[in-house]
Amino acid sequence: MKVLFIGTGVITYAHADGLKLIGSEPSACYDIFKPSAERFAKTYGCEAIDDYKEYLDKERPDYVLICTPPGVRLEYMEEVMSRGIPLYIEKPIATNMEDAIKMQEMAEKYKVPIMVNFVHCYRPAYEQMYKLVKDGVLGDPINVFSHRFGQGAGFRGRNMAASWRTNPKLVCGMTIESLSHDITMMTALCGDFKTVAANVKATVDSLPTFDTNSAISMEIAKGGIATISASWSSDIAFSMRGYVGTKGTAIVRGGGQFDLEDCIVKTDDMPYEQVTNYHDTYDNTLAQGMANAHKHFQDALTTGSEIRTPLESGIAALKVSLAALKSDKEKVVVTL
Ligand SMILES: NC(=O)c1ccc[n+]([C@@H]2O[C@H](COP(=O)([O-])OP(=O)(O)OC[C@H]3O[C@@H](n4cnc5c(N)ncnc54)[C@H](O)[C@@H]3O)[C@@H](O)[C@H]2O)c1
């Protein structure tokens, strides 16, 4: 399939590596900072273009991948969607509800398929847990959780390197940027949340609006409780995400924030816990997750199958993130 990349920063390399694994590749790339596009183009042997609108009109890619910072997506989305071209966008979809609502309005107007790159939903250890829940093996949710710690000194210190994350106009802390993954993974398991209570902490002196630590407690709309505890300040990295249900429990564990290395399962009917090891780490095998996610989208485009992480999942995650920030700021429990 012909895929145009808009924005060619760090994460796009994992996308391109993933595409290669499914026999696809970037057909062209565009970045507001031309040297970034040129570097990417050189690595993957595609064209770095100057006029993406002309490319959309002339080449009509099968879909466009948008990996610009979350504060600068709307214009690109409109140009792509108004031409009837499907869209694959990075998470978080936006940093505020105003932009999210505009995206929703565009989606309703242009009706093109849209997928949000909640890539961890397409990695095998999580998919095992997801399938057990969907098949009813673990029963209804009692306690759903995500605990993930890592990143360390780079995000804890007094200042951070210049990037969109440190630009006061685009700044977007961990609760919006990164917890969008956890919220989406949990929502897929237990459905929507009813209330959100949170404490959030920023640790970078030069960026008081850039939060790096969160403790979030939620009520699950259909019953049960959920928690997220997360740190971008921890020198020791680990993660544990799980579902404690009325019939059994599954936990996905890893040595890093996004290492989904094994899935451990125990139901009422099993005499012992069963551990399946996937050896799936962020640094070594993320490209395979990207491959799975792009394959999911490409299958949806060719067969019309359902997209598991559509625009709505990005909007739902943003609502929870914003509720957590509001809860911390106003010291209230937010009802969604
Ligand atoms: N799914 C994941 O696991 C994952 C991991 C990391 C990052 N991300 C997401 O990907 C997005 C990009 O993150 P990144 O780490 O690659 O950032 P980055 O800073 O490495 O790259 C951003 C790129 O966008 C370009 N850019 C900035 N403004 C632009 C504009 N107006 N038009 C066109 N290009 C523009 C920059 O020049 C840069 O090349 C973010 O939303 C981030 O949250 C997702």
Side-chain angles (χ1 to χ4, degrees), residues 48 65 69 75 114 138 148 160 189 197 207 225 261 292 294:
L65 171 68
E75 185 189 322
I114 305 174
L138 304 181
R148 36 158 297 201
M160 281 177 60
L189 298 176
L207 278 177
I225 58 171
E261 290 174 83
N292 300 346
H294 278 274

Side-chain angles (χ1 to χ4, degrees), residues 89 91-92 116-122 180-181 184 309-310 313-314 317:
I89 59 169
K91 45 54 61 179
V116 184
N117 190 44
F118 289 118
V119 59
H120 310 303
C121 292
Y122 302 94
S180 58
H181 281 302
T184 303
T309 51
S313 64

Side-chain angles (χ1 to χ4, degrees), residues 6-12 15 30-33 36-37 66-70 72-73 76 90-92 117-120 163-165 170 172 177-178 181 258 282 286 290:
I6 296 184
T8 52
V10 173
I11 199 60
T12 46
H15 279 281
Y30 170 81
D31 196 291
I32 204 161
F33 182 53
S36 171
I66 297 188
C67 293
T68 57
V72 282
R73 301 238 173 100
Y76 295 115
E90 259 304 345
K91 45 54 61 179
N117 190 44
F118 289 118
V119 59
H120 310 303
S163 78
W164 58 269
R165 291 181 175 88
L170 300 177
C172 157
E177 188 195 346
S178 198
H181 281 302
F258 287 110
Y282 191 84
L286 182 63
M290 293 289 196

Side-chain angles (χ1 to χ4, degrees), residues 16-44:
D17 290 343
L19 279 178
K20 266 194 197 168
L21 294 173
I22 53 169
S24 232
E25 59 186 5
S27 54
C29 65
Y30 170 81
D31 196 291
I32 204 161
F33 182 53
K34 188 78 192 280
S36 171
E38 284 171 346
R39 189 166 76 95
F40 180 87
K42 200 170 162 207
T43 308
Y44 293 101

